[in-house]
Amino acid sequence: MDSIPTANRLPRYTRRDFLRKSATLGAVLAGGITFPSSRSRLYAGEKRLFEGVTLNLLLNAEPYAYAVRKHQQALYEKYGIRLNIELTGLGGPDYTKQMVEFTSGSGLYDIVFMSPVWMADFSPYMEPLEPLAKKWNLDFKLDDIAESFRKVYNSWDGVWYTVPFDGDVHILFYNKVAFETPEHKTRFRDKYGYELTPPQTWDQWRDMAEFFTGWDWMGGGGQKRYG
């Protein structure tokens, strides 16, 4: 596998060099920004390899910019990279502004916060991340991202282009005691024909909500409860 030459064998990298060699920062990112992991072996043995490099970021709102600013000083101290952050001021990603920059080839922005619904339009202007990740042995830590988000937010036509920053999912909270009470489990199995466990489908969700509605499953004195 190729390796990055050490600083004493290669002149200081330019901004263009950085963007070509760093898969982590060298692409438009769906939903936000990621930075090189301190555990990445891409920069092993290097100290401030990118001294003097400034990256221009176009973000959509200050709450997202704040997440980037939290790492801004650490990024500079470790790699010598400075960030120039610009906000669209519209409260959301600006399709027109971004597409004009892409189609004109201005290169004004190095990292753009975009909406994944524009992936089809933007994909011709982005470099696939998988070859870069393999070449430089980078781990984007996507194992904890739901598969549906990895597909919709990160890829177009089976090609991985972006890294997610933000996503919304349904989270299930359930009463563990209610689900593990033997009497409840028996009663549920007798009625629905399968075991009472945290639901894996919407049909199971409906059955369990129905099951726990209209009776005192907490045993608090006859009060009706709801599922």
PDB file of all heavy atoms in Angstrom, residues 149-164:
ATOM      1  N   PHE A 149     -29.420   5.240   6.218  1.00  0.00           N
ATOM      2  CA  PHE A 149     -28.795   6.551   6.104  1.00  0.00           C
ATOM      3  C   PHE A 149     -27.494   6.474   5.313  1.00  0.00           C
ATOM      4  O   PHE A 149     -27.156   7.390   4.561  1.00  0.00           O
ATOM      5  CB  PHE A 149     -28.530   7.150   7.484  1.00  0.00           C
ATOM      6  CG  PHE A 149     -29.748   7.762   8.102  1.00  0.00           C
ATOM      7  CD1 PHE A 149     -30.501   7.057   9.024  1.00  0.00           C
ATOM      8  CD2 PHE A 149     -30.161   9.028   7.756  1.00  0.00           C
ATOM      9  CE1 PHE A 149     -31.638   7.609   9.593  1.00  0.00           C
ATOM     10  CE2 PHE A 149     -31.295   9.596   8.304  1.00  0.00           C
ATOM     11  CZ  PHE A 149     -32.037   8.884   9.231  1.00  0.00           C
ATOM     12  N   ARG A 150     -26.743   5.391   5.503  1.00  0.00           N
ATOM     13  CA  ARG A 150     -25.501   5.244   4.748  1.00  0.00           C
ATOM     14  C   ARG A 150     -25.787   5.218   3.250  1.00  0.00           C
ATOM     15  O   ARG A 150     -25.021   5.760   2.447  1.00  0.00           O
ATOM     16  CB  ARG A 150     -24.772   3.966   5.155  1.00  0.00           C
ATOM     17  CG  ARG A 150     -24.173   4.002   6.550  1.00  0.00           C
ATOM     18  CD  ARG A 150     -23.062   2.984   6.704  1.00  0.00           C
ATOM     19  NE  ARG A 150     -23.467   1.642   6.366  1.00  0.00           N
ATOM     20  CZ  ARG A 150     -23.980   0.767   7.229  1.00  0.00           C
ATOM     21  NH1 ARG A 150     -24.154   1.131   8.498  1.00  0.00           N
ATOM     22  NH2 ARG A 150     -24.313  -0.449   6.849  1.00  0.00           N
ATOM     23  N   LYS A 151     -26.898   4.604   2.880  1.00  0.00           N
ATOM     24  CA  LYS A 151     -27.241   4.510   1.464  1.00  0.00           C
ATOM     25  C   LYS A 151     -27.790   5.835   0.936  1.00  0.00           C
ATOM     26  O   LYS A 151     -27.379   6.326  -0.119  1.00  0.00           O
ATOM     27  CB  LYS A 151     -28.260   3.398   1.245  1.00  0.00           C
ATOM     28  CG  LYS A 151     -27.703   1.995   1.447  1.00  0.00           C
ATOM     29  CD  LYS A 151     -28.770   0.946   1.196  1.00  0.00           C
ATOM     30  CE  LYS A 151     -28.216  -0.459   1.349  1.00  0.00           C
ATOM     31  NZ  LYS A 151     -29.261  -1.500   1.115  1.00  0.00           N
ATOM     32  N   VAL A 152     -28.736   6.413   1.658  1.00  0.00           N
ATOM     33  CA  VAL A 152     -29.423   7.602   1.162  1.00  0.00           C
ATOM     34  C   VAL A 152     -28.567   8.858   1.297  1.00  0.00           C
ATOM     35  O   VAL A 152     -28.545   9.712   0.403  1.00  0.00           O
ATOM     36  CB  VAL A 152     -30.760   7.794   1.901  1.00  0.00           C
ATOM     37  CG1 VAL A 152     -31.437   9.094   1.484  1.00  0.00           C
ATOM     38  CG2 VAL A 152     -31.682   6.615   1.636  1.00  0.00           C
ATOM     39  N   TYR A 153     -27.847   8.992   2.403  1.00  0.00           N
ATOM     40  CA  TYR A 153     -27.075  10.200   2.662  1.00  0.00           C
ATOM     41  C   TYR A 153     -25.702  10.173   1.995  1.00  0.00           C
ATOM     42  O   TYR A 153     -25.113  11.231   1.758  1.00  0.00           O
ATOM     43  CB  TYR A 153     -26.877  10.382   4.163  1.00  0.00           C
ATOM     44  CG  TYR A 153     -27.996  11.095   4.874  1.00  0.00           C
ATOM     45  CD1 TYR A 153     -29.326  10.849   4.550  1.00  0.00           C
ATOM     46  CD2 TYR A 153     -27.724  12.013   5.886  1.00  0.00           C
ATOM     47  CE1 TYR A 153     -30.349  11.492   5.213  1.00  0.00           C
ATOM     48  CE2 TYR A 153     -28.748  12.662   6.549  1.00  0.00           C
ATOM     49  CZ  TYR A 153     -30.058  12.400   6.212  1.00  0.00           C
ATOM     50  OH  TYR A 153     -31.062  13.044   6.876  1.00  0.00           O
ATOM     51  N   ASN A 154     -25.161   8.995   1.771  1.00  0.00           N
ATOM     52  CA  ASN A 154     -23.760   8.912   1.365  1.00  0.00           C
ATOM     53  C   ASN A 154     -23.526   8.529  -0.088  1.00  0.00           C
ATOM     54  O   ASN A 154     -22.417   8.731  -0.583  1.00  0.00           O
ATOM     55  CB  ASN A 154     -23.020   7.870   2.227  1.00  0.00           C
ATOM     56  CG  ASN A 154     -23.032   8.202   3.698  1.00  0.00           C
ATOM     57  OD1 ASN A 154     -22.806   7.341   4.523  1.00  0.00           O
ATOM     58  ND2 ASN A 154     -23.283   9.453   4.028  1.00  0.00           N
ATOM     59  N   SER A 155     -24.500   7.956  -0.756  1.00  0.00           N
ATOM     60  CA  SER A 155     -24.230   7.333  -2.053  1.00  0.00           C
ATOM     61  C   SER A 155     -25.228   7.751  -3.123  1.00  0.00           C
ATOM     62  O   SER A 155     -26.356   8.155  -2.828  1.00  0.00           O
ATOM     63  CB  SER A 155     -24.260   5.806  -1.914  1.00  0.00           C
ATOM     64  OG  SER A 155     -23.383   5.362  -0.919  1.00  0.00           O
ATOM     65  N   TRP A 156     -24.769   7.603  -4.369  1.00  0.00           N
ATOM     66  CA  TRP A 156     -25.671   7.731  -5.503  1.00  0.00           C
ATOM     67  C   TRP A 156     -25.278   6.678  -6.525  1.00  0.00           C
ATOM     68  O   TRP A 156     -24.103   6.545  -6.873  1.00  0.00           O
ATOM     69  CB  TRP A 156     -25.599   9.126  -6.121  1.00  0.00           C
ATOM     70  CG  TRP A 156     -26.456   9.224  -7.346  1.00  0.00           C
ATOM     71  CD1 TRP A 156     -26.056   9.262  -8.650  1.00  0.00           C
ATOM     72  CD2 TRP A 156     -27.887   9.263  -7.364  1.00  0.00           C
ATOM     73  NE1 TRP A 156     -27.137   9.326  -9.484  1.00  0.00           N
ATOM     74  CE2 TRP A 156     -28.288   9.326  -8.727  1.00  0.00           C
ATOM     75  CE3 TRP A 156     -28.870   9.253  -6.372  1.00  0.00           C
ATOM     76  CZ2 TRP A 156     -29.627   9.372  -9.102  1.00  0.00           C
ATOM     77  CZ3 TRP A 156     -30.197   9.290  -6.747  1.00  0.00           C
ATOM     78  CH2 TRP A 156     -30.565   9.360  -8.107  1.00  0.00           C
ATOM     79  N   ASP A 157     -26.267   5.917  -6.988  1.00  0.00           N
ATOM     80  CA  ASP A 157     -26.045   4.869  -7.979  1.00  0.00           C
ATOM     81  C   ASP A 157     -24.971   3.889  -7.514  1.00  0.00           C
ATOM     82  O   ASP A 157     -24.131   3.434  -8.305  1.00  0.00           O
ATOM     83  CB  ASP A 157     -25.654   5.490  -9.316  1.00  0.00           C
ATOM     84  CG  ASP A 157     -25.804   4.513 -10.480  1.00  0.00           C
ATOM     85  OD1 ASP A 157     -26.590   3.551 -10.359  1.00  0.00           O
ATOM     86  OD2 ASP A 157     -25.113   4.695 -11.509  1.00  0.00           O
ATOM     87  N   GLY A 158     -24.989   3.591  -6.210  1.00  0.00           N
ATOM     88  CA  GLY A 158     -24.071   2.614  -5.652  1.00  0.00           C
ATOM     89  C   GLY A 158     -22.669   3.113  -5.382  1.00  0.00           C
ATOM     90  O   GLY A 158     -21.802   2.340  -4.973  1.00  0.00           O
ATOM     91  N   VAL A 159     -22.417   4.413  -5.587  1.00  0.00           N
ATOM     92  CA  VAL A 159     -21.082   4.977  -5.373  1.00  0.00           C
ATOM     93  C   VAL A 159     -21.094   5.845  -4.125  1.00  0.00           C
ATOM     94  O   VAL A 159     -21.971   6.704  -3.958  1.00  0.00           O
ATOM     95  CB  VAL A 159     -20.633   5.813  -6.590  1.00  0.00           C
ATOM     96  CG1 VAL A 159     -19.238   6.397  -6.355  1.00  0.00           C
ATOM     97  CG2 VAL A 159     -20.642   4.958  -7.846  1.00  0.00           C
ATOM     98  N   TRP A 160     -20.121   5.649  -3.247  1.00  0.00           N
ATOM     99  CA  TRP A 160     -20.029   6.375  -1.976  1.00  0.00           C
ATOM    100  C   TRP A 160     -19.310   7.697  -2.202  1.00  0.00           C
ATOM    101  O   TRP A 160     -18.147   7.733  -2.574  1.00  0.00           O
ATOM    102  CB  TRP A 160     -19.282   5.501  -0.967  1.00  0.00           C
ATOM    103  CG  TRP A 160     -18.925   6.164   0.317  1.00  0.00           C
ATOM    104  CD1 TRP A 160     -19.606   7.146   0.959  1.00  0.00           C
ATOM    105  CD2 TRP A 160     -17.788   5.885   1.126  1.00  0.00           C
ATOM    106  NE1 TRP A 160     -18.983   7.500   2.122  1.00  0.00           N
ATOM    107  CE2 TRP A 160     -17.858   6.743   2.242  1.00  0.00           C
ATOM    108  CE3 TRP A 160     -16.722   4.988   1.024  1.00  0.00           C
ATOM    109  CZ2 TRP A 160     -16.890   6.729   3.253  1.00  0.00           C
ATOM    110  CZ3 TRP A 160     -15.769   4.977   2.017  1.00  0.00           C
ATOM    111  CH2 TRP A 160     -15.856   5.846   3.117  1.00  0.00           C
ATOM    112  N   TYR A 161     -20.026   8.806  -1.949  1.00  0.00           N
ATOM    113  CA  TYR A 161     -19.475  10.131  -2.191  1.00  0.00           C
ATOM    114  C   TYR A 161     -19.304  10.988  -0.942  1.00  0.00           C
ATOM    115  O   TYR A 161     -18.472  11.896  -0.923  1.00  0.00           O
ATOM    116  CB  TYR A 161     -20.380  10.918  -3.148  1.00  0.00           C
ATOM    117  CG  TYR A 161     -20.370  10.432  -4.569  1.00  0.00           C
ATOM    118  CD1 TYR A 161     -21.478   9.784  -5.108  1.00  0.00           C
ATOM    119  CD2 TYR A 161     -19.268  10.637  -5.385  1.00  0.00           C
ATOM    120  CE1 TYR A 161     -21.488   9.337  -6.420  1.00  0.00           C
ATOM    121  CE2 TYR A 161     -19.256  10.196  -6.704  1.00  0.00           C
ATOM    122  CZ  TYR A 161     -20.371   9.553  -7.218  1.00  0.00           C
ATOM    123  OH  TYR A 161     -20.373   9.118  -8.509  1.00  0.00           O
ATOM    124  N   THR A 162     -20.136  10.802   0.073  1.00  0.00           N
ATOM    125  CA  THR A 162     -20.209  11.779   1.151  1.00  0.00           C
ATOM    126  C   THR A 162     -20.170  11.131   2.530  1.00  0.00           C
ATOM    127  O   THR A 162     -20.256   9.913   2.669  1.00  0.00           O
ATOM    128  CB  THR A 162     -21.508  12.603   1.033  1.00  0.00           C
ATOM    129  OG1 THR A 162     -22.622  11.721   1.227  1.00  0.00           O
ATOM    130  CG2 THR A 162     -21.613  13.268  -0.320  1.00  0.00           C
ATOM    131  N   VAL A 163     -20.073  11.982   3.538  1.00  0.00           N
ATOM    132  CA  VAL A 163     -20.069  11.544   4.934  1.00  0.00           C
ATOM    133  C   VAL A 163     -21.175  12.286   5.674  1.00  0.00           C
ATOM    134  O   VAL A 163     -21.311  13.498   5.526  1.00  0.00           O
ATOM    135  CB  VAL A 163     -18.705  11.839   5.595  1.00  0.00           C
ATOM    136  CG1 VAL A 163     -18.729  11.484   7.070  1.00  0.00           C
ATOM    137  CG2 VAL A 163     -17.592  11.079   4.877  1.00  0.00           C
ATOM    138  N   PRO A 164     -22.002  11.580   6.448  1.00  0.00           N
ATOM    139  CA  PRO A 164     -23.130  12.246   7.126  1.00  0.00           C
ATOM    140  C   PRO A 164     -22.697  13.024   8.347  1.00  0.00           C
ATOM    141  O   PRO A 164     -21.729  12.685   9.017  1.00  0.00           O
ATOM    142  CB  PRO A 164     -24.029  11.070   7.526  1.00  0.00           C
ATOM    143  CG  PRO A 164     -23.065   9.942   7.737  1.00  0.00           C
ATOM    144  CD  PRO A 164     -21.980  10.136   6.704  1.00  0.00           C
TER     145      PRO A 164
END
